[in-house]
Amino acid sequence: MHTETDRCVRAVQAKDARFDGWFFTAVLTTRIYCRPSCPVVPPKPENMRFYPSAAAAQQAGFRACKRCRPDASPGSPQWNERADLVARAMRLIADGLVDREGVPGLAARLGYSTRQIERQLLAELGAGPLALARAQRAQTARLLIETSELPMADVAFAAGFASIRTFNDTVREVFALSPTELRARAVRGGRRAPATTGAISLRLPFRAPLCPDNLFGHLVATAVPGVEEWRDGAYRRTLRLPYGQGVATLRPQPEYVACQLALTDLRDLTIAISRCRRLLDLDADPVAVDDLLRADPLLAPLVDKNPGRRVPRTVDAAEFAVRAVLGQQVSTAAARTHAGRLVLAHGELVEDPAGGLTHLFPGPEALAALDPETLALPRTRRTTLTSLVAALAAEEIALGVGSDWDEARTRLAALPGVGPWTVEVIAMRGLGDPDAFLPTDLGLRRAAQELGLPATPAALTARSADWRPWRAYAVQYLWATDSHPINHLPPV
């Protein structure tokens, strides 16, 4: 979009928050860059330059605006909508892979050469993987500087910087303030979060509107005991992270999602934020989704009633795949019971002084050693589960944020007992494919029939062509016609 100058100028002059994260506006006279909705008086069009990423603006010599804080804007929805190389690379960079494994690790994960990846990222985003990761480190550093009392040396290494000097230079270059000045400014401006022992509090922005009902309702109604809970108006869950464990507390607010992260290793902060945003689908573009679905006269009343529905996703696609198999042809309560038994038998213990969380959900390696005879499941379901776990543990199926959606579907479908419903629900909530569709789902077919839509899988699939590429969101609107607890925000 950044190449459409007239459209970008109109968005900046209108201070349109819908375009935050889509592009960044750099001002030649002040040498700063802003989000489109920056509250200051818009510059003259001839003084504007537009960039597709904060990293590209930084590389061009612009510093972040202190008013609109463009580095904190919602991420571009493209990286959740698309499944091409650039989108997969961006999801992996957001998950901290470059900081952990470098550009060679990114290339190895994607199956391309480092040169190919750098060329494609430069062509589309104006910055290579190192610059994009650097911009993300700067954002993490700002969060820690402004919301914690950590010594600056701890902030530097927690944000992923290799040295204190690099940390100081980057913060000065990006924010035009030293780390100490940035912290003092946050204290004066009242942005400092209340001190919470061992936890970091922050706000997760999103594009309005957002309907929290089915989003939090679904997560809570299907919560695995010990791993997830609803407490004091917040959804809480444990996190398995590259450097340690974590507990995320997510509370819906009118203009943002309040997030509190308790981490055993602060190097996991960037990854934890990325996974929480992905879990809640916060980088979606609800206006684009709802406008397309509203064009269908049968869906329009559902969209108008509660616009901004998101797809409840997951922090760990492998975990969700296991839970999807456990939930085949059983009630929500039964699926929770089966998952809870797995957690008690194979999950890793965690400490949660603030609530009732007790375990991490067991990973594929831990589950690969389980005795199928101990599972209170039909024999065919045991075979399906053990086959899935073995494939995940052997890395024969990749379900991570950088995975190829089509390849993952093919490999899942080849497993015994994994049918179209299981494949598509994993694609929708595990992989994050916004066009995943469940035409065989009984709840979906019942809702379709009540609305006057075709109810048979083949006819419903044909009818859903008009909803592409947002069929996963259409599923949420159709499911919401039912009174099931997944569609309602739990009481505080």
Side-chain angles (χ1 to χ4, degrees):
M1 179 182 174
H2 72 287
T3 58
E4 302 175 46
T5 302
D6 291 342
R7 189 180 178 193
C8 290
V9 168
R10 289 196 301 271
V12 171
Q13 291 176 336
K15 304 184 188 301
D16 195 333
R18 294 177 300 172
F19 294 97
D20 288 355
W22 277 99
F23 68 90
F24 296 84
T25 306
V27 185
L28 296 177
T29 52
T30 60
R31 304 302 298 174
I32 65 171
Y33 72 94
C34 306
R35 60 172 78 194
S37 64
C38 184
V40 302
V41 177
K44 295 178 180 179
E46 58 266 28
N47 291 329
M48 298 182 194
R49 295 293 183 271
F50 303 107
Y51 292 93
S53 66
Q58 292 169 17
Q59 278 200 315
F62 296 91
R63 66 182 187 276
C65 174
K66 298 183 180 72
R67 289 285 301 277
C68 69
R69 301 151 67 84
D71 60 306
S73 60
S76 173
Q78 296 181 74
W79 316 136
N80 287 341
E81 297 167 10
R82 294 162 39 182
D84 56 19
L85 173 61
V86 171
R88 292 166 61 201
M90 287 301 294
R91 290 196 288 270
L92 286 169
I93 291 171
D95 202 51
L97 185 70
V98 171
D99 289 336
R100 297 194 301 275
E101 301 179 19
V103 179
L106 176 66
R109 191 72 64 93
L110 294 170
Y112 288 81
S113 70
T114 56
R115 185 176 178 181
Q116 286 174 304
I117 292 171
E118 288 176 348
R119 184 172 62 246
Q120 292 209 33
L121 288 174
L122 280 168
E124 187 160 343
L125 290 162
L130 287 177
L132 291 162
R134 175 181 178 269
Q136 184 167 271
R137 284 195 296 274
Q139 180 186 356
T140 302
R142 181 183 60 76
L143 280 173
L144 287 171
I145 290 168
E146 294 183 345
T147 64
S148 77
E149 297 179 356
L150 287 173
M152 292 302 177
D154 292 344
V155 170
F157 293 114
F161 289 96
S163 70
I164 301 295
R165 180 176 180 177
T166 304
F167 161 70
N168 286 328
D169 291 346
T170 299
V171 171
R172 282 196 186 93
E173 182 180 337
V174 174
F175 303 109
L177 293 170
S178 70
T180 302
E181 291 169 335
L182 197 59
R183 177 166 284 177
R185 181 184 174 91
V187 172
R188 290 194 304 270
R191 290 197 302 270
R192 193 68 167 273
T196 303
T197 304
I200 294 171
S201 298
L202 56 141
R203 298 177 177 184
L204 302 182
F206 55 78
R207 292 178 183 82
L210 180 142
C211 175
D213 298 18
N214 73 300
L215 182 57
F216 286 88
H218 204 125
L219 294 173
V220 175
T222 60
V224 177
V227 176
E228 303 164 284
E229 69 173 359
W230 178 261
R231 181 181 290 266
D232 300 328
Y235 166 78
R236 307 179 73 247
R237 73 151 292 149
T238 58
L239 303 172
R240 182 186 302 279
L241 299 163
Y243 297 106
Q245 304 173 351
V247 172
T249 302
L250 301 165
R251 180 176 284 103
Q253 301 289 347
E255 297 182 354
Y256 58 88
V257 174
C259 174
Q260 188 177 94
L261 295 169
L263 306 173
T264 58
D265 192 317
L266 283 174
R267 289 177 295 175
D268 285 322
L269 178 62
T270 299
I271 300 97
I273 293 171
S274 174
R275 293 185 184 178
C276 288
R277 294 192 63 81
R278 184 172 175 80
L279 170 71
L280 302 180
D281 195 17
L282 295 185
D283 289 323
D285 184 351
V287 174
V289 172
D290 289 352
D291 282 351
L292 184 141
L293 298 181
R294 197 179 278 115
D296 188 316
L298 296 181
L299 288 185
L302 304 181
V303 177
D304 291 337
K305 182 180 179 181
N306 289 114
R309 289 193 182 276
R310 302 299 206 270
V311 178
R313 291 181 175 161
T314 182
V315 296
D316 186 330
E319 171 192 315
F320 183 79
V322 170
R323 291 169 61 172
V325 168
L326 292 175
Q328 288 177 333
Q329 299 178 347
V330 298
S331 67
T332 300
R336 294 182 65 204
T337 298
H338 291 315
R341 289 171 180 165
L342 275 189
V343 167
L344 286 175
H346 303 280
E348 183 179 337
L349 289 171
V350 300
E351 292 185 7
D352 177 29
L357 303 180
T358 58
H359 290 79
L360 295 174
F361 196 91
E365 296 78 11
L367 292 177
L370 66 80
D371 179 1
E373 296 300 321
T374 63
L375 300 173
L377 298 170
R379 187 166 297 278
T380 54
R381 190 86 45 77
R382 296 181 200 172
T383 301
T384 301
L385 182 62
T386 53
S387 299
L388 171 65
V389 167
L392 290 171
E395 298 184 352
E396 295 171 0
I397 296 178
L399 298 180
V401 293
S403 60
D404 183 301
W405 294 344
D406 291 336
E407 181 181 349
R409 276 183 166 94
T410 300
R411 291 180 180 268
L412 285 168
L415 296 174
V418 175
W421 182 90
T422 306
V423 169
E424 287 303 300
V425 79
I426 293 172
M428 180 172 70
R429 296 193 56 198
L431 299 176
D433 183 352
D435 200 41
F437 193 59
L438 310 171
T440 60
D441 182 83
L442 293 179
L444 191 71
R445 292 172 61 190
R446 183 166 56 246
Q449 187 173 25
E450 291 177 355
L451 284 177
L453 291 163
T456 63
L460 186 56
T461 299
R463 182 69 165 76
S464 72
D466 293 339
W467 308 334
R468 305 192 76 166
W470 310 120
R471 294 188 298 177
Y473 295 88
V475 169
Q476 305 307 314
Y477 280 108
L478 289 169
W479 272 345
T481 61
D482 192 273
S483 60
H484 194 284
I486 65 170
N487 295 314
H488 304 287
L489 193 67
V492 177

